[in-house]
Amino acid sequence: MSARPRPDTLPVPAPGAGARGPEPALPASPHGAPRFANDWIGATLRLCPERRMARIAAGTLEWLLTAADFDALAAAAEGPGPLAVEWNPDLGQVLVPGGHLRGGASFFRLRS
């Protein structure tokens, strides 16, 4: 009767020779995409004063919305250029960091 080899003496296949390596790590969800319902995500806000519209862009997603109080949002955002904000698409609210210092509020309701 032949003796079985010990597990620590078995040959190990060379890398790329059919050996399974460690499982690849799942990519982390970028902050620019919702990870779960009612999530605040990093986005950019760009205002269009002529149309009184707000454009929110996060990752590959974009929203073109009207603000409940466009004048207050424009004052908080300080101009039409892109501004880093936090956006909650489920709540329809944008958080403008420091907006309360410039426009009296930081949270603004947007709707389509």
Side-chain angles (χ1 to χ4, degrees):
M1 177 172 202
S2 65
R4 288 186 161 174
R6 295 189 331 230
D8 60 339
T9 62
L10 292 175
V12 177
R20 276 185 61 123
E23 289 292 321
L26 294 175
S29 175
H31 188 62
R35 296 164 290 199
F36 49 85
N38 242 356
D39 188 17
W40 288 90
I41 56 177
T44 57
L45 169 71
R46 186 181 301 261
L47 299 178
C48 178
E50 299 83 29
R51 295 185 183 140
R52 300 182 64 81
M53 301 284 286
R55 181 176 148 233
I56 303 283
T60 60
L61 303 172
E62 284 191 42
W63 295 264
L64 186 60
L65 307 162
T66 59
D69 187 356
F70 185 84
D71 295 326
L73 176 60
E78 282 190 342
L83 176 70
V85 296
E86 293 290 317
W87 163 242
N88 189 316
D90 292 331
L91 296 177
Q93 287 193 356
V94 64
L95 165 63
V96 178
H100 64 285
L101 298 174
R102 297 181 297 272
S106 292
F107 291 91
F108 300 92
R109 181 160 307 279
L110 302 177
R111 58 183 177 259
S112 54

